[in-house]
Amino acid sequence: MNNQEYLTKLRKAGIKILDSDIVYVAGSLIEGKISSVAKGMGNEYSDVDVFILRKEQATKIMHTYSVNDRSFDFKFVDNTHFDVETYKLEEVKNIFSQISNVSFKKNKNVKRQIALPNGWTFTVLNSIIHRLFHSIPLQNEKEWESLKQELDFEKYLHVYSQILKNKIDDTTDDVVGNAIQGTNTLPVSIYVLRQSYIYFLNIILLANKITNDREKWTQLKFNNLVEKTGQYISVKQLEQDLFFKNFDNNPEKTRLFIFKVQNFINDYIEKME
């Protein structure tokens, strides 16, 4: 579909679009077409994700539901599912400005330097930024391009990488604690370790200037990166062991494997720094 066809379908579905709105389409279907590391993303069942960044206050517009200043609509028209998210442009610009002023000095908590709007999380922020940079503009393309220039993208990569590293730090005790507690909690340890590994892969993606907003796509993107660059072979081998290994009934062997993987992740991140 071209831009006008998208806009026509959205309006047909009852989505109110103002002339001043920045509108762009994103999601797995779009990203799979425009990014080499996203090869394989999107299929015939995928929704079309639409973002509306609104400059002016709009009244009497009904949405499927709203959370503070974020609004969501789910529409199906002409065999196409649309997930539409509407945000205040001013809030997005304000966060971009805060990111530019983040300091990475010791004893400076990165998250505390960014005041998110009510109802937002850093996962939400990451999704908004990722989809802005992996999207196709439908309306007000110049403003869409200008908005991207307002974000210090290199600094953001560092910001989100620090957040993910903190998550790995937080999960390490959970991994180790459940591994040594007993046989019944070994599955808990493996589950958390797999989550930590996904954070780890996303840190590697960020180091290669690749953002990702859905954990389900992490391994696909990472494997595409390995195929493209020939790097990170040892990290990829962890995936085979951690996700496809047939864990036997030897608790001590499993426990040693858990410690080995956790130490590998922590050591690798330390070397990256």
Side-chain angles (χ1 to χ4, degrees):
M1 285 186 286
N2 59 36
N3 291 9
Q4 193 55 52
E5 287 174 330
Y6 271 119
L7 290 171
T8 298
K9 280 196 173 188
L10 287 167
R11 289 189 171 100
K12 182 179 179 180
I15 301 298
K16 178 69 173 177
I17 299 176
L18 307 180
D19 290 340
S20 59
D21 289 342
I22 299 174
V23 185
Y24 52 95
V25 60
S28 58
L29 278 173
I30 302 300
E31 192 173 349
K33 294 177 181 178
I34 65 178
S35 171
S36 60
V37 294
K39 180 179 64 176
M41 286 179 60
N43 56 64
E44 60 181 310
Y45 299 104
S46 299
D47 297 337
V48 176
D49 298 318
V50 178
F51 285 80
I52 299 174
L53 302 182
R54 184 148 286 160
K55 295 181 182 179
E56 55 190 85
Q57 185 70 30
T59 58
K60 298 181 180 179
I61 295 181
M62 299 297 295
H63 298 280
T64 303
Y65 75 95
S66 297
V67 179
N68 296 313
D69 292 326
R70 303 163 55 206
S71 298
F72 303 86
D73 294 284
F74 307 102
K75 302 291 183 179
F76 181 76
V77 60
D78 296 340
N79 297 314
T80 304
H81 287 274
F82 288 105
D83 287 352
V84 185
E85 299 184 26
T86 304
Y87 297 86
K88 284 185 175 180
L89 178 60
E90 181 182 359
E91 290 186 334
V92 175
K93 287 189 172 189
N94 178 48
I95 293 175
F96 284 8
S97 177
Q98 292 183 60
I99 290 172
S100 298
N101 295 319
V102 166
S103 170
F104 297 108
K105 292 181 180 179
K106 287 186 177 181
N107 300 322
K108 286 278 189 178
N109 186 301
V110 170
K111 292 174 70 173
R112 290 180 181 175
Q113 296 179 60
I114 302 175
L116 296 177
N118 289 335
W120 287 43
T121 64
F122 282 94
T123 300
V124 169
L125 174 60
N126 180 59
S127 179
I128 291 173
I129 290 176
H130 172 76
R131 296 192 179 215
L132 174 64
F133 281 82
H134 295 81
S135 64
I136 297 173
L138 301 183
Q139 180 175 284
N140 290 320
E141 181 174 353
K142 288 183 179 180
E143 287 85 350
W144 168 82
E145 186 61 50
S146 176
L147 178 62
K148 292 195 293 181
Q149 299 303 317
E150 292 189 32
L151 176 68
D152 186 333
F153 189 70
E154 293 284 341
K155 179 166 276 191
Y156 175 70
L157 294 173
H158 197 178
V159 166
Y160 204 62
S161 182
Q162 287 297 316
I163 290 172
L164 292 176
K165 288 174 185 176
N166 290 340
K167 286 187 175 184
I168 290 176
D169 288 342
D170 292 342
T171 60
T172 298
D173 287 344
D174 209 8
V175 171
V176 174
N178 281 289
I180 65 177
Q181 182 171 333
T183 303
N184 289 339
T185 54
L186 283 177
V188 178
S189 183
I190 292 170
Y191 174 86
V192 179
L193 182 59
R194 285 171 172 167
Q195 181 66 70
S196 186
Y197 177 74
I198 296 300
Y199 297 149
F200 174 43
L201 293 190
N202 277 308
I203 290 172
I204 292 176
L205 291 176
L206 289 169
N208 286 271
K209 305 186 191 309
I210 300 167
T211 56
N212 180 47
D213 75 323
R214 295 290 186 271
E215 291 182 353
K216 65 181 179 181
W217 298 121
T218 301
Q219 288 160 284
L220 180 146
K221 287 185 177 181
F222 174 74
N223 290 332
N224 283 339
L225 176 65
V226 172
E227 181 180 337
K228 182 179 179 180
T229 66
Q231 298 179 333
Y232 309 110
I233 302 301
S234 61
V235 177
K236 181 174 173 55
Q237 184 57 50
L238 285 186
E239 177 186 60
Q240 299 300 315
D241 295 339
L242 188 55
F243 286 87
F244 303 105
K245 182 182 178 69
N246 182 21
F247 293 99
D248 54 28
N249 291 320
N250 186 328
E252 188 56 33
K253 186 177 178 181
T254 301
R255 192 173 290 111
L256 291 174
F257 169 76
I258 290 170
F259 294 154
K260 174 185 174 182
V261 174
Q262 185 66 67
N263 288 335
F264 179 95
I265 292 173
N266 291 341
D267 291 345
Y268 202 102
I269 291 175
E270 186 174 343
K271 290 177 182 177
M272 289 176 68
E273 296 176 338

